[in-house]
Amino acid sequence: MATITAPQPTPGASGGLTWRQRLSRFDVRSAPYLYIAPFFVLFAITGLFPLLYTAYVSLRQYSLIRGDLGPVGLENFAFVLNSPRFYVALRNTISIFLLSSVPQVICAIALAAVLDANLRAKTFWRMGVLLPYVVAPVAVSLIFGQMFADQSGMINAVLTGAGLDPIGWHRDVLPSHLAIATMVNFRWTGYNTLIVLAALQAIPRDVIEAAIVDGASRLQAFFHVTLPMLRPTIIFVVITSTIGGLQIFDEPRMYDSVGLGGNSRQWMTVTMYMYELGWGAQKQLGRASAVAWLLFLLIVAIALLNFGLTRRIASSGAVNPRRKNRNRKGVAR
């Protein structure tokens, strides 16, 4: 008859494990957290702390010259929400955002589709679309500001040469928004194009070829096969362009030599209004912090709206299993 003996614990170790085994187990369990810790530490220092401190400053009377003068509650938010310039800046920001982001995403998808084709010197053309992104935004703003000048600009010179009336690119609201949106599209279209191009190259070619074999044209295969498979990348591009478009500052700030957003604040954005409150004549960092938090809440609201729309689109494109089973039963009958 066989006898069963209990396992003997390792000598000199409490709980059956030596200190080397405990150290090895701790290393295996803690290594993933240690690898990702630098990102969260840097984010807490450079992202989370400024965000929370801005919320703290927005509730106080904080002057750039005299410093902290005590709490004021929600007076800074009330001042901003009762200021007509805030709503003018909000209108300009949303207008420039729509005029830049929507054409930017469409042009990025179209250029990525062209660059994904069988072209000669692919590397040259792919690097070429990224060159505007390398140019400094100040240089782009200065160049385009001269091109869209009201009196001596190249665009108005072409229009008058063609027999058309010159446009007040710095005088009127919509033309100034179009000019600034053109700068934004010039810089960021190539960047988004490469992101979409990388997603295009990850799509299996046999899926597109199968659609073409089934009788679809190249255009039909692109709209009905390629674009649905690009949905996650398009969502990413839309969200990043939304965040960047609502925080636009460099292009409108350098659009003219004064940098106030026009005589009537025709193109003053929310970030420019925040800069004017904090570092302009008022030098009220509390009010500027209130504007920053209102902009943050606006970005979060639009991001949630984008998330809801994209989730609804994704759910509408999915196949309902009950409907699929009903179709099978109908076919069987």
Side-chain angles (χ1 to χ4, degrees):
M1 183 176 178
T3 58
I4 300 176
T5 59
Q8 299 294 328
T10 306
S14 60
L17 294 176
T18 62
W19 67 273
R20 290 181 179 274
Q21 292 173 338
R22 287 179 177 275
L23 182 62
S24 177
R25 179 176 295 183
F26 174 77
D27 181 43
V28 172
R29 292 180 178 179
S30 61
Y33 300 99
L34 293 176
Y35 289 144
I36 64 175
F39 166 77
F40 289 98
V41 171
L42 290 176
F43 173 74
I45 296 174
T46 62
L48 185 60
F49 173 74
L51 182 65
L52 298 177
Y53 189 72
T54 302
Y56 169 77
V57 174
S58 66
L59 302 176
R60 306 182 71 84
Q61 186 179 358
Y62 206 104
S63 175
L64 184 63
I65 298 176
R66 295 180 294 173
D68 191 358
L69 301 178
V72 293
L74 298 178
E75 289 185 8
N76 292 326
F77 290 93
F79 174 85
V80 173
L81 293 176
N82 291 326
S83 175
R85 284 191 177 180
F86 172 73
Y87 296 99
V88 172
L90 186 62
R91 178 206 64 183
N92 297 338
T93 302
I94 296 177
S95 175
I96 296 173
F97 158 68
L98 293 176
L99 291 174
S100 60
S101 296
V102 176
Q104 186 181 135
V105 174
I106 296 174
C107 293
I109 296 173
L111 285 175
V114 173
L115 293 175
D116 191 48
N118 190 13
L119 298 175
R120 294 182 179 180
K122 288 184 179 181
T123 306
F124 172 77
W125 297 113
R126 292 172 183 176
M127 292 178 60
V129 297
L130 193 61
L131 286 179
Y133 176 72
V134 181
V135 181
V138 176
V140 174
S141 302
L142 291 175
I143 294 173
F144 276 82
Q146 295 298 323
M147 290 176 58
F148 286 98
D150 294 344
Q151 302 298 329
S152 59
M154 185 184 70
I155 306 299
N156 279 341
V158 173
L159 292 177
T160 53
L164 301 176
D165 296 331
I167 299 176
W169 299 106
H170 287 74
R171 183 183 67 250
D172 300 330
V173 176
L174 184 59
S176 62
H177 294 179
L178 287 172
I180 296 172
T182 304
M183 303 182 208
V184 179
N185 293 331
F186 173 77
R187 288 197 65 238
W188 290 98
T189 300
Y191 175 81
N192 292 324
T193 299
L194 292 186
I195 295 177
V196 179
L197 178 61
L200 276 175
Q201 293 178 342
I203 296 177
R205 299 295 177 181
D206 53 355
V207 177
I208 302 176
E209 293 174 358
I212 295 175
V213 170
D214 289 340
S217 62
R218 292 283 181 180
L219 193 61
Q220 291 175 340
F222 179 77
F223 281 103
H224 297 284
V225 178
T226 304
L227 276 183
M229 300 183 73
L230 287 176
R231 183 180 299 160
T233 304
I234 295 175
I235 293 173
F236 171 78
V237 171
V238 168
I239 291 177
T240 54
S241 62
T242 299
I243 297 173
L246 294 176
Q247 294 179 344
I248 184 172
F249 178 79
D250 295 337
E251 288 82 359
R253 177 67 173 80
M254 300 298 298
Y255 186 53
D256 63 352
S257 58
V258 181
L260 295 178
N263 296 328
S264 302
R265 302 299 192 268
Q266 301 96 310
W267 64 86
M268 181 183 67
T269 60
V270 175
T271 53
M272 293 179 64
Y273 178 64
M274 177 180 64
Y275 181 83
E276 181 179 344
L277 288 178
W279 291 269
Q282 298 188 26
K283 293 180 173 55
Q284 293 290 335
L285 294 180
R287 295 173 181 176
S289 300
V291 176
W293 256 89
L294 290 174
L295 180 60
F296 170 73
L297 295 177
L298 176 65
I299 293 174
V300 170
I302 295 180
L304 292 176
L305 179 62
N306 287 335
F307 175 76
L309 291 176
T310 53
R311 186 177 182 181
R312 184 175 182 180
I313 293 173
S315 61
S316 63
V319 179
N320 191 347
R322 296 182 179 178
R323 185 178 299 177
K324 187 176 181 180
N325 293 331
R326 291 176 183 175
N327 294 335
R328 289 182 177 178
K329 291 179 180 179
V331 173
R333 291 177 183 176

